[in-house]
């Protein structure tokens, strides 16, 4: 049996490594963390009980890792898991590059803000236990606010403007499962809280562009804006309207499984 050329194998590994490290840093970290934690739980190498968000153990037992692991856990293994990884790769990458212009500090602060909203939802509204699908739904909502006219193909059957995508996925979940996807709803609420604070509130009469919250300086010092990628320099930020494109980004039953 002929063996594969070692040079070709090295080139494939180099190409895969270059692709991965050329992803925006927050998206890359989220993708890797979600893949690792969900896979370890699915294979039984990490106990699900040690991952889910249990507040008595956080407060009394100081099990602070739950705050992080519950964000990276996406649910059981299967097609839903793969689609969620794909959605992180596509939606999060697009938001980090096109909305936050490769500014990891701003993007991370947005994710932390939305995570805090989801914590409040988990405590006062409805138990979520793990936040990965909800945070993904939040990012999809943020994406939709900045890609309102971009067409997204659903199963190759219908094209939907981007501004409706979070609700289309929510409706598809309802039709396929027979129940409302509470995790997706929580993500939409968290995403809208951020959008209101960051974009709507400064435009209200009398606010004169003043923002309620801004990215902390320590995050900016820790995560300076990325100036170049492996494919070349990053163009200066411009908020031009998105052109319409046809993206076939798969089914909708991925955000709450």
């Amino acid at each position: 049996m002929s063996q594969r050329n070692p040079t070709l194998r090295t080139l494939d590994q180099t190409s895969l490594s270059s692709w991965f490290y050329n992803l925006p840093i927050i998206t890359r970290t989220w993708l890797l963390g979600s893949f690792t934690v969900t896979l370890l739980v699915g294979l039984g190498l990490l106990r699900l009980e040690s991952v889910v968000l249990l507040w008595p153990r956080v407060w009394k037992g100081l099990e602070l890792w739950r705050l992080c692991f519950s964000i990276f856990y996406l649910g059981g293994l299967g097609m839903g898991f793969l689609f969620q990884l794909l959605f992180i790769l596509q939606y999060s990458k697009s938001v980090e590059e096109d909305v936050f212009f490769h500014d990891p500090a701003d993007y991370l602060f947005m994710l932390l803000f939305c995570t805090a909203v989801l914590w409040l939802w988990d405590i006062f509204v409805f138990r979520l236990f793990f936040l990965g699908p909800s945070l993904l739904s939040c990012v999809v909502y943020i994406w939709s606010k900045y890609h309102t006219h971009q067409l997204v193909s659903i199963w190759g059957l219908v094209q939907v403007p981007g501004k409706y995508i979070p609700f289309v996925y929510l409706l598809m979940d309802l039709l396929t499962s027979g129940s409302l996807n509470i995790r997706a709803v929580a993500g939409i609420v968290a995403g809208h809280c951020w959008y209101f604070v960051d974009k709507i509130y400064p435009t209200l009469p009398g606010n004169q562009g003043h923002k309620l919250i801004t990215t902390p300086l320590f995050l900016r010092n820790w995560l300076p804006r990325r100036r170049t990628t492996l494919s070349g320099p990053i163009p200066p930020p411009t908020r031009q309207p998105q052109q319409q494109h046809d993206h076939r980004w798969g089914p909708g039953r991925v955000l709450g499984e």
Side-chain angles (χ1 to χ4, degrees):
M1 182 180 296
S2 61
Q3 295 184 348
R4 192 177 182 187
N5 190 316
T7 302
L8 294 179
R9 183 166 62 249
T10 301
L11 288 175
D12 288 345
Q13 294 173 348
T14 302
S15 178
L16 179 61
S17 176
S18 297
W19 167 82
F20 179 73
Y21 284 104
N22 199 38
L23 292 174
I25 185 171
I26 304 301
T27 297
R28 183 171 73 233
T29 303
W30 189 8
L31 183 69
L32 180 61
S34 298
F35 174 81
T36 302
V37 172
T38 306
L39 183 63
L40 289 177
V41 173
L43 295 178
L45 301 177
L46 184 63
R47 294 174 57 192
L48 177 60
E49 185 186 17
S50 65
V51 170
V52 296
L53 195 55
L54 301 175
W55 289 107
R57 296 194 179 184
V58 172
W59 301 128
K60 297 179 181 179
L62 295 180
E63 298 179 3
L64 301 181
W65 66 82
R66 295 179 183 273
L67 300 177
C68 178
F69 281 14
S70 62
I71 295 173
F72 288 130
Y73 183 62
L74 298 176
L77 300 180
M79 290 302 297
F81 169 56
L82 296 179
F83 275 117
Q84 287 183 98
L85 291 179
L86 178 62
F87 272 43
I88 291 175
L89 176 62
Q90 293 181 326
Y91 283 109
S92 178
K93 180 176 182 291
S94 178
V95 170
E96 189 168 356
E97 291 180 343
D98 302 336
V99 177
F100 290 92
F101 305 115
H102 289 272
D103 193 329
D106 280 350
Y107 186 43
L108 177 60
F109 184 61
M110 185 275 285
L111 292 176
L112 292 175
F113 175 92
C114 293
T115 298
V117 175
L118 293 173
W119 286 340
L120 294 175
W121 177 289
D122 185 73
I123 295 172
F124 297 109
V125 181
F126 189 88
R127 293 306 313 275
L128 300 172
F129 294 105
F130 54 94
L131 308 183
S134 298
L135 194 60
L136 177 54
S137 179
C138 169
V139 171
V140 172
Y141 180 83
I142 296 296
W143 180 91
S144 73
K145 302 300 288 186
Y146 289 89
H147 298 76
T148 55
H149 301 296
Q150 183 167 315
L151 297 180
V152 179
S153 179
I154 305 297
W155 283 329
L157 299 177
V158 62
Q159 292 183 332
V160 180
K163 60 183 177 180
Y164 299 124
I165 282 299
F167 308 103
V168 169
Y169 289 151
L170 194 62
L171 177 61
M172 293 172 67
D173 266 340
L174 179 62
L175 294 177
T176 55
S177 68
S179 60
L180 184 64
N181 188 335
I182 298 299
R183 289 190 174 92
V185 173
I188 291 174
V189 171
H192 187 71
C193 287
W194 168 262
Y195 188 76
F196 175 84
V197 168
D198 187 59
K199 296 300 176 187
I200 298 178
Y201 177 82
T203 65
L204 296 178
N207 290 337
Q208 299 178 342
H210 173 73
K211 288 190 175 184
L212 286 174
I213 55 175
T214 58
T215 303
L217 182 60
F218 78 90
L219 282 182
R220 294 199 177 279
N221 293 334
W222 181 41
L223 294 169
R225 183 175 182 269
R226 193 179 182 189
R227 299 296 179 181
T228 61
T229 67
L230 296 182
S231 58
I234 298 172
T238 56
R239 293 184 180 271
Q240 297 297 327
Q242 293 283 336
Q243 295 181 347
Q244 293 187 357
H245 297 283
D246 179 11
H247 288 286
R248 302 179 183 274
W249 286 357
R253 185 165 174 72
V254 297
L255 299 182
E257 293 183 356

